[in-house]
């Protein structure tokens, strides 16, 4: 009989991750690299990573910040703007720098001010991406202030994404951090084409919008797209645990210093990297579908991106595991980051095959 307290799977990848830069990069990267083999790195730095040269330089900084022997590969993305040059994008792809390009509607979220004001103007960019097979990763929310914040994803699918994929019928698209039943239905409806995927975060599998108001306003549960009603969370759990298919793991781990979270206008983003795989395991275990975790975490993403799954394995051990209350990311306490579940425990611990690497310390860099 298999041991229900241990689960071995191919080493997973994180198909949506914010690593930031400088001291924050050095503080957060070890948590991801200790578990995940590859990660799609979001380009929303200030200024954004909007050219192949900028992405190459950012990749160098990430590599330089890696602890030794992690075997971790950062996969870079291009931040699309109104003035993205299709030739630069294609050259970056041909040189192995760009794994994808990210569409932020202007002002949709953190560092999205330079994002795209009107997707209709990016026709030549999308046409080139379609031609070379470069996936388009979308932050799928409209920014129209007249649209209720909880409806912005559903309206985006309707108004922006449906016409876009109809116009570019071979464009590969990932609906990033899906948060609604609408997104699940949209992606499922296109599953047969193999060209539409979606990432799902651990936090959207574990919390609904009530978590924003639990005993007071909870900035550490605030992210974009914001968590929705319970019926949407249930649809996400169903999708994530559905086995082989278009849904795959993307944490959207998005660290902000505590000073930017615990204030009058808190930044959006949850820092889930210190417990990420264990958090996903909790969500899968809650519905009795741990056997489907490997497809979601380690197989569906590589299949979508046309990459091989990882050769090595990780083992999840069912044991309450502390999550640090804070992770230092600079000289002062205000620079620290509060992880999701910080100061409490996650139900699963991760062991890497072949090495008994201790988890990174929470002392930053
Ligand atoms: O919550 C979020 N945080 N959503 C995003 O889209 C961006 C991210 C960030 O960079 O902080
Ligand atoms: Zn993100």
């Amino acid at each position: 009989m298999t041991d229900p307290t241990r689960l071995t799977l191919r080493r997973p990848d994180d198909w949506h991750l914010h690593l930031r830069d400088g001291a924050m990069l050095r503080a957060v990267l070890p948590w991801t690299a200790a578990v995940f083999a590859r990660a799609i790195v979001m380009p929303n730095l200030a200024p954004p990573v909007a050219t192949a040269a900028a992405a190459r330089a950012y990749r160098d900084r990430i590599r330089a910040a890696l602890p030794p022997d992690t075997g971790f590969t950062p996969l870079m993305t291009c931040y699309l703007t109104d003035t993205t040059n299709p030739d630069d994008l294609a050259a970056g792809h041909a040189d192995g720098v760009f794994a994808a390009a990210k569409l932020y509607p202007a002002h949709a979220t953190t560092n999205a001010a330079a994002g795209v004001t009107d997707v209709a103007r990016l026709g030549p960019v999308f046409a080139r991406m379609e031609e070379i097979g470069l996936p388009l990763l979308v932050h799928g929310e409209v920014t129209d202030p007249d649209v209720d914040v909880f409806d912005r994803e559903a309206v985006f699918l309707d108004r922006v994404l449906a016409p876009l994929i109809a116009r570019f019928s071979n464009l590969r698209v990932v609906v990033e951090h899906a948060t609604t039943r609408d997104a699940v239905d949209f992606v499922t409806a296109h599953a047969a084409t193999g060209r539409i995927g979606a990432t799902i975060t651990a936090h959207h599998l574990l919390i609904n919008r009530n978590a924003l108001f639990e005993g007071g306003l909870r900035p550490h549960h605030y992210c974009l797209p914001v968590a929705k009603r319970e019926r949407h969370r249930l649809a996400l759990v169903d999708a994530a645990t559905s086995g082989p298919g278009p849904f795959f793991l993307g944490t959207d781990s998005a660290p902000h210093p505590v000073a930017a979270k615990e204030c009058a206008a808190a930044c959006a983003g949850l820092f889930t990297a210190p417990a990420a795989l264990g958090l996903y395991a909790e969500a899968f275990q809650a519905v009795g579908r741990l056997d489907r975790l490997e497809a979601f975490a380690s197989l569906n993403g590589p299949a979508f991106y046309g990459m091989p799954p990882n050769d090595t394995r990780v083992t999840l051990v069912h044991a309450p595991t502390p999550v640090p209350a804070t992770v230092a990311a600079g000289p002062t306490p205000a620079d620290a980051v509060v992880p999701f579940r910080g100061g409490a425990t996650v139900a699963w611990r991760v062991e890497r095959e072949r090495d008994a690497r201790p988890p990174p310390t929470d002392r930053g860099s």
Side-chain angles (χ1 to χ4, degrees):
M1 222 181 89
T2 53
D3 179 352
T5 67
R6 294 176 72 85
L7 177 70
T8 296
L9 49 148
R10 280 180 188 263
R11 193 176 173 195
D13 305 298
D14 185 347
W15 299 98
H16 185 130
L17 177 67
H18 297 268
L19 286 174
R20 315 301 192 204
D21 215 340
M24 184 66 92
L25 166 64
R26 290 190 291 277
V28 303
L29 176 61
W31 296 98
T32 292
V35 174
F36 297 93
R38 296 168 289 202
I40 285 277
V41 180
M42 289 296 136
N44 62 332
L45 304 183
V49 181
T51 63
R56 194 179 277 108
Y58 185 30
R59 187 174 63 182
D60 287 345
R61 298 198 294 282
I62 295 168
R63 286 174 173 163
L66 273 174
D69 305 325
T70 55
F72 174 82
T73 304
L75 303 171
M76 309 311 291
T77 57
C78 179
Y79 183 114
L80 297 179
T81 71
D82 286 349
T83 57
T84 296
N85 176 345
D87 293 335
D88 181 68
L89 193 60
H93 175 58
D95 290 349
V97 178
F98 287 139
K102 177 75 188 278
L103 169 67
Y104 286 104
H107 304 292
T109 187
T110 306
N111 293 340
V116 172
T117 57
D118 181 1
V119 295
R121 291 161 56 169
L122 257 61
V125 171
F126 297 143
R128 185 66 77 86
M129 291 175 65
E130 185 174 42
E131 184 189 318
I132 63 180
L134 187 67
L136 174 70
L137 315 183
V138 296
H139 182 110
E141 289 193 288
V142 294
T143 54
D144 182 344
D146 292 337
V147 176
D148 189 280
V149 70
F150 292 97
D151 297 334
R152 287 181 183 180
E153 182 173 278
V155 173
F156 181 92
L157 298 171
D158 224 38
R159 279 192 201 163
V160 183
L161 194 55
L164 186 72
I165 64 171
R167 181 166 164 214
F168 298 96
S169 56
N170 288 312
L171 188 62
R172 305 178 60 71
V173 176
V174 182
V175 176
E176 296 295 337
H177 41 54
T179 63
T180 56
R181 177 175 290 274
D182 311 71
V184 168
D185 290 346
F186 185 97
V187 173
T188 304
H190 293 89
T193 68
R195 70 177 180 112
I196 313 291
T199 53
I200 302 178
T201 76
H203 47 284
H204 287 110
L205 294 177
L206 292 171
I207 63 171
N208 63 29
R209 66 190 197 175
N210 286 353
L212 283 156
F213 309 106
E214 251 164 30
L217 197 56
R218 298 292 191 139
H220 296 294
H221 288 164
Y222 172 59
C223 61
L224 285 171
V226 70
K228 307 298 193 298
R229 288 178 180 276
E230 178 65 0
R231 70 184 189 90
H232 294 291
R233 189 189 71 82
L234 293 173
L236 296 170
V237 171
D238 257 0
T241 61
S242 59
F247 299 101
F248 43 90
L249 186 158
T251 62
D252 197 13
S253 180
H256 290 278
V258 70
K261 290 293 280 179
E262 298 179 7
C263 59
C267 289
L270 269 63
F271 178 47
T272 49
L277 191 59
L279 293 169
Y280 280 108
E282 283 186 9
F284 278 63
Q285 185 182 27
V287 292
R289 290 190 184 159
L290 273 172
D291 57 318
R292 309 265 178 93
L293 183 61
E294 186 177 44
F296 177 76
S298 317
L299 302 176
N300 293 352
F304 182 89
Y305 277 88
M307 297 177 187
N310 298 304
D311 285 333
T312 58
R313 285 174 167 69
V314 296
T315 297
L316 283 149
V317 182
H318 195 223
T321 305
V323 182
T326 59
V327 169
T332 76
D335 299 314
V337 193
V338 175
F340 183 72
R341 270 307 159 74
T345 60
V346 58
W348 295 81
R349 182 180 76 236
V350 184
E351 289 177 358
R352 280 265 302 278
E353 184 183 67
R354 279 206 305 272
D355 61 70
R357 189 189 317 281
T361 69
D362 60 0
R363 302 198 206 302
S365 50

mmCIF file of all heavy atoms in Angstrom, residues 16 18 42 102 104 177 252, ligand 2:
data_model
loop_
_atom_site.group_PDB
_atom_site.id
_atom_site.type_symbol
_atom_site.label_atom_id
_atom_site.label_comp_id
_atom_site.label_asym_id
_atom_site.label_seq_id
_atom_site.Cartn_x
_atom_site.Cartn_y
_atom_site.Cartn_z
ATOM 1 N N HIS A 16 4.318 31.264 -13.179
ATOM 2 C CA HIS A 16 3.992 32.705 -12.991
ATOM 3 C C HIS A 16 4.589 33.165 -11.663
ATOM 4 O O HIS A 16 4.083 32.827 -10.598
ATOM 5 C CB HIS A 16 2.476 32.923 -12.980
ATOM 6 C CG HIS A 16 2.093 34.363 -12.902
ATOM 7 N ND1 HIS A 16 1.177 34.938 -13.760
ATOM 8 C CD2 HIS A 16 2.489 35.366 -12.076
ATOM 9 C CE1 HIS A 16 1.039 36.223 -13.472
ATOM 10 N NE2 HIS A 16 1.808 36.508 -12.437
ATOM 11 N N HIS A 18 6.857 36.451 -9.509
ATOM 12 C CA HIS A 18 7.493 37.772 -9.406
ATOM 13 C C HIS A 18 8.723 37.648 -8.518
ATOM 14 O O HIS A 18 8.614 37.264 -7.350
ATOM 15 C CB HIS A 18 6.525 38.796 -8.793
ATOM 16 C CG HIS A 18 5.317 39.015 -9.640
ATOM 17 N ND1 HIS A 18 5.236 39.993 -10.603
ATOM 18 C CD2 HIS A 18 4.134 38.346 -9.696
ATOM 19 C CE1 HIS A 18 4.063 39.934 -11.209
ATOM 20 N NE2 HIS A 18 3.374 38.938 -10.681
ATOM 21 N N MET A 42 7.989 37.233 -14.154
ATOM 22 C CA MET A 42 7.215 38.380 -14.623
ATOM 23 C C MET A 42 8.113 39.603 -14.818
ATOM 24 O O MET A 42 9.077 39.806 -14.065
ATOM 25 C CB MET A 42 6.089 38.680 -13.638
ATOM 26 C CG MET A 42 4.995 37.635 -13.681
ATOM 27 S SD MET A 42 4.191 37.626 -15.302
ATOM 28 C CE MET A 42 4.080 35.871 -15.608
ATOM 29 N N LYS A 102 4.193 39.264 -21.888
ATOM 30 C CA LYS A 102 3.123 39.486 -20.911
ATOM 31 C C LYS A 102 2.331 40.734 -21.248
ATOM 32 O O LYS A 102 2.904 41.819 -21.423
ATOM 33 C CB LYS A 102 3.749 39.632 -19.518
ATOM 34 C CG LYS A 102 2.757 39.935 -18.384
ATOM 35 C CD LYS A 102 1.946 38.721 -17.986
ATOM 36 C CE LYS A 102 0.823 39.057 -17.010
ATOM 37 N NZ LYS A 102 1.233 39.151 -15.627
ATOM 38 N N TYR A 104 -0.040 43.364 -19.839
ATOM 39 C CA TYR A 104 -0.721 44.047 -18.738
ATOM 40 C C TYR A 104 -1.556 45.163 -19.345
ATOM 41 O O TYR A 104 -0.981 46.095 -19.944
ATOM 42 C CB TYR A 104 0.286 44.705 -17.786
ATOM 43 C CG TYR A 104 1.045 43.771 -16.892
ATOM 44 C CD1 TYR A 104 2.377 43.455 -17.157
ATOM 45 C CD2 TYR A 104 0.451 43.212 -15.760
ATOM 46 C CE1 TYR A 104 3.093 42.610 -16.338
ATOM 47 C CE2 TYR A 104 1.165 42.358 -14.937
ATOM 48 C CZ TYR A 104 2.488 42.064 -15.223
ATOM 49 O OH TYR A 104 3.197 41.225 -14.404
ATOM 50 N N HIS A 177 -3.276 33.616 -13.613
ATOM 51 C CA HIS A 177 -3.981 33.679 -12.332
ATOM 52 C C HIS A 177 -5.502 33.755 -12.498
ATOM 53 O O HIS A 177 -6.142 34.730 -12.116
ATOM 54 C CB HIS A 177 -3.474 34.816 -11.436
ATOM 55 C CG HIS A 177 -3.178 36.110 -12.144
ATOM 56 N ND1 HIS A 177 -4.085 36.759 -12.933
ATOM 57 C CD2 HIS A 177 -2.067 36.869 -12.155
ATOM 58 C CE1 HIS A 177 -3.539 37.871 -13.402
ATOM 59 N NE2 HIS A 177 -2.314 37.951 -12.957
ATOM 60 N N ASP A 252 2.058 33.148 -8.817
ATOM 61 C CA ASP A 252 1.920 34.613 -8.732
ATOM 62 C C ASP A 252 2.443 35.116 -7.387
ATOM 63 O O ASP A 252 1.943 36.109 -6.865
ATOM 64 C CB ASP A 252 0.480 35.058 -8.956
ATOM 65 C CG ASP A 252 0.383 36.550 -9.295
ATOM 66 O OD1 ASP A 252 1.424 37.168 -9.598
ATOM 67 O OD2 ASP A 252 -0.730 37.089 -9.225
HETATM 68 ZN ZN1 LIG B 2 1.579 38.268 -11.384
#
